[in-house]
Amino acid sequence: MLKLVILISGSGSNLQSLIDSVHKNGIAKILRVISNKADAKGIQRAEAAEISTSIIEHRDYSSKQDFEEDIVKAIDAIEPDYILLAGFMRILSNEFIAHYPDKIINIHPSILPAFRGLNTHQRAIDAGVKQHGATVHLVIPELDSGPIIQQISVDISINDDAHTLANKVLKQEHQLYPDVVKALADGRITIRDGVVYTQ
Ligand code: GAR
């Protein structure tokens, strides 16, 4: 069974979809949820599912290094197979990423390599593209640029604004992330030396 740690900063709706799916199919176990915000709704979701939580707030630390050292301690106590970022809104240092080769996975709300960074939904509308979506990818030091694991797309309609588009994408994210975890658990996706292999 895959051992997972999930890092969040906010609502945790992706966390919820992961909780629900691993609960149902029993292919993975979420051993800890770590939030850099004490008031993240995702913490309540984890507690409701009886998953242990750590609140490690970046603003309590004078340096990023100290902040990340405490995250590393919380993760290393568990030795997870994968560390899933699910709406985790801090940029991780190169040192942190190097500590977990082939193990850190992120979900990003765009069809990468388009729209790296923030405000992806509004930027997609402003750019006039007809499709938008989400990407699950391996994390490398360069932001939102690691090897792509799986993507989904949605059509942008003339009536969409950033809010309706975000909801459309999020709904698909809730399918995408659990699908990737299942594929990792089944061995249909493997990650080795920074390369993603899909069967
Ligand atoms: C999701 O749309 C996720 O893709 C995005 O934040 C949202 C979190 O929602 N992640 C990023 O923007 C990462 N840079 P959630 O807290 O309800 O899962």
Side-chain angles (χ1 to χ4, degrees), residues 51-79:
I51 297 167
S52 31
T53 58
S54 301
I55 292 164
I56 302 174
E57 293 209 273
H58 58 281
R59 58 178 184 201
D60 291 343
Y61 295 83
S62 53
S63 75
K64 188 182 181 102
Q65 193 184 347
D66 290 349
F67 165 62
E68 288 187 345
E69 265 174 24
D70 275 359
I71 299 182
V72 165
K73 273 185 214 151
I75 293 175
D76 287 357
I78 284 162
E79 298 185 345

Side-chain angles (χ1 to χ4, degrees), residues 8-15 45 86-89 106-109 117-118 120-121 134 144 166 169-170 173-174:
I8 61 162
S9 299
S11 158
S13 69
N14 275 292
L15 166 67
R45 296 180 193 270
F88 183 68
M89 301 308 278
N106 183 41
I107 188 159
H108 177 78
L118 298 174
T120 58
H121 309 300
D144 300 330
V169 171
L170 204 50
E173 289 184 40
H174 297 160

Side-chain angles (χ1 to χ4, degrees), residues 136-156:
V136 172
H137 67 93
L138 187 64
V139 172
I140 63 167
E142 199 187 335
L143 188 68
D144 300 330
S145 298
I148 290 168
I149 299 174
Q150 210 162 295
Q151 297 181 302
I152 54 88
S153 64
V154 300
D155 290 335
I156 301 181

Side-chain angles (χ1 to χ4, degrees), residues 1-6 15 17-32 49 51 80-84 177-186:
M1 198 187 284
L2 285 185
K3 293 196 285 179
L4 307 175
V5 169
I6 302 188
L15 166 67
S17 72
L18 290 162
I19 291 172
D20 294 344
S21 73
V22 303
H23 209 90
K24 212 163 57 192
N25 57 28
I27 44 136
K29 196 158 171 56
I30 302 167
L31 291 169
R32 182 168 293 269
I51 297 167
D81 296 295
Y82 293 102
I83 299 152
L84 304 184
Y177 224 171
D179 280 355
V180 168
V181 169
K182 178 129 192 3
L184 286 165
D186 292 348

